[in-house]
Amino acid sequence: MSEAEFASWALKICLTVLVIFLAFIIYNLGKESKAGKLGMFILFLVLFLGVAGFLFKEFLIKMLM
């Protein structure tokens, strides 16, 4: 396995774990602050919009190169 292949796999695995961990943190934050359904929706919306922006950026890079 080359260094580039390892870096590609590590990026995918580590980012997936990071997003799952961030989702847990946001869920716990919303639960402790007694955020309602709308509050929890907004918290997760912002998290996943950030993830979607990162994925869209990667998609654009691959399409333009």
Side-chain angles (χ1 to χ4, degrees):
M1 177 181 288
S2 71
E3 190 272 332
E5 291 173 332
F6 176 76
S8 176
W9 277 96
L11 178 68
K12 291 173 186 172
I13 292 170
C14 290
L15 280 179
T16 302
V17 170
L18 178 66
V19 168
I20 292 169
F21 184 61
L22 286 173
F24 169 73
I25 290 172
I26 288 178
Y27 171 75
N28 198 19
L29 176 69
K31 189 175 72 171
E32 286 183 5
S33 68
K34 297 179 181 145
K37 289 181 182 179
L38 179 63
M40 290 291 271
F41 174 75
I42 291 173
L43 286 171
F44 280 106
L45 178 69
V46 169
L47 171 66
F48 290 113
L49 281 176
V51 172
F54 176 78
L55 293 174
F56 185 66
K57 179 190 74 146
E58 292 297 318
F59 174 74
L60 282 178
I61 290 172
K62 288 195 185 244
M63 292 302 291
L64 294 175
M65 294 192 115

